[in-house]
Amino acid sequence: MKSVAALSTLLACAAAQTAYFGVISARSASPIHLLPLQANGGKFFLGGTPSGYCPSVAVGNETCAHYPGNSTTFAGGNVTLSLGVVVPGGQQVYVAPDGTLSYTGAHSAYIPEGSVRTGWNRTERDDGSGLGSLSFEEGLVACPRNETLPWQVYGQVANFTAPEGCLGFGAVTYNASDAAAWQY
Ligand SMILES: *[C@@H]1O[C@H](CO)[C@@H](O)[C@H](O)[C@H]1NC(C)=O
Ligand SMILES: *[C@@H]1O[C@H](CO)[C@@H](O)[C@H](O)[C@H]1NC(C)=O
Ligand SMILES: *[C@@H]1O[C@H](CO)[C@@H](O)[C@H](O)[C@H]1NC(C)=O
Ligand SMILES: *[C@@H]1O[C@H](CO)[C@@H](O)[C@H](O)[C@H]1NC(C)=O
Ligand SMILES: *[C@@H]1O[C@H](CO)[C@@H](O)[C@H](O)[C@H]1NC(C)=O
Ligand SMILES: *[C@@H]1O[C@H](CO)[C@@H](O)[C@H](O)[C@H]1NC(C)=O
Ligand SMILES: *[C@@H]1O[C@H](CO)[C@@H](O)[C@H](O)[C@H]1NC(C)=O
């Protein structure tokens, strides 16, 4: 019994260590109000579908069924930010020198020189709702591409000047129970 109790304490601690969350944009009376922040092809977009992927040949169908990869979750948010993934090594979020909000590839730590990987701050409401907010030091903006494609997300770093038509937005967080994808 003692070892069972010890194990469940251990599991509870392990669960508490990695807190996953999703992000929804907030910019009232705009086309980018209440859209999910999605990871796709190394960049981030508001709306659209994420590029979640699971190597079922390597890890098995059952494992992959737990990580359908059709939504985007994050981890961290205390100075640095990561994607909520299972792939060993994880996937780190950074702002590239051209301002694009980006993430590292699976099995790669490569981040272009001049990128910004810090400046994140996730704060939680204390009302038990599981909601909170995520900020990036210099602010986040989304820029339209064409009528059919989701808006692309940028961090307002020194070398980036948002073109006309881009909109700043707030990032609302909600608790997620697990990573949503093996990798993106
Ligand atoms: C996964 O499912 C596919 C199709 O359903 C099947 O062909 C394959 O053998 C399965 N792989 C494993 C590891 O179970
Ligand atoms: C993702 O896929 C799972 C399993 O197919 C499904 O239950 C879930 O509703 C989907 N979620 C989204 C956001 O599409
Ligand atoms: C953020 O990280 C710092 C340094 O690692 C730590 O002292 C602090 O408690 C963390 N804050 C939160 C909200 O987890
Ligand atoms: C600034 O951004 C442009 C693209 O917008 C990029 O080509 C250039 O390399 C960046 N400059 C620096 C110093 O990162
Ligand atoms: C995050 O924001 C909270 C509330 O504004 C502040 O108390 C805290 O110091 C900030 N943390 C970081 C890492 O900037
Ligand atoms: C949401 O997750 C945080 C950890 O990031 C946890 O402290 C908090 O209790 C959770 N809230 C709810 C309502 O699940
Ligand atoms: C938007 O851009 C995509 C990719 O370049 C293209 O396939 C699509 O036709 C464009 N749609 C419109 C309405 O211009």
Side-chain angles (χ1 to χ4, degrees), residues 56-89:
S56 56
V57 174
V59 303
N61 291 353
E62 214 168 294
T63 302
C64 286
H66 288 293
Y67 306 106
N70 54 359
S71 65
T72 303
T73 61
F74 297 84
N78 182 2
V79 183
T80 60
L81 180 68
S82 298
L83 281 167
V85 291
V86 190
V87 66

Side-chain angles (χ1 to χ4, degrees), residues 146-149:
N146 68 25
E147 299 91 63
T148 52
L149 294 171

Side-chain angles (χ1 to χ4, degrees), residues 19 122 124 128-130 175:
R122 179 194 180 202
E124 290 168 52
S129 63
N175 277 13

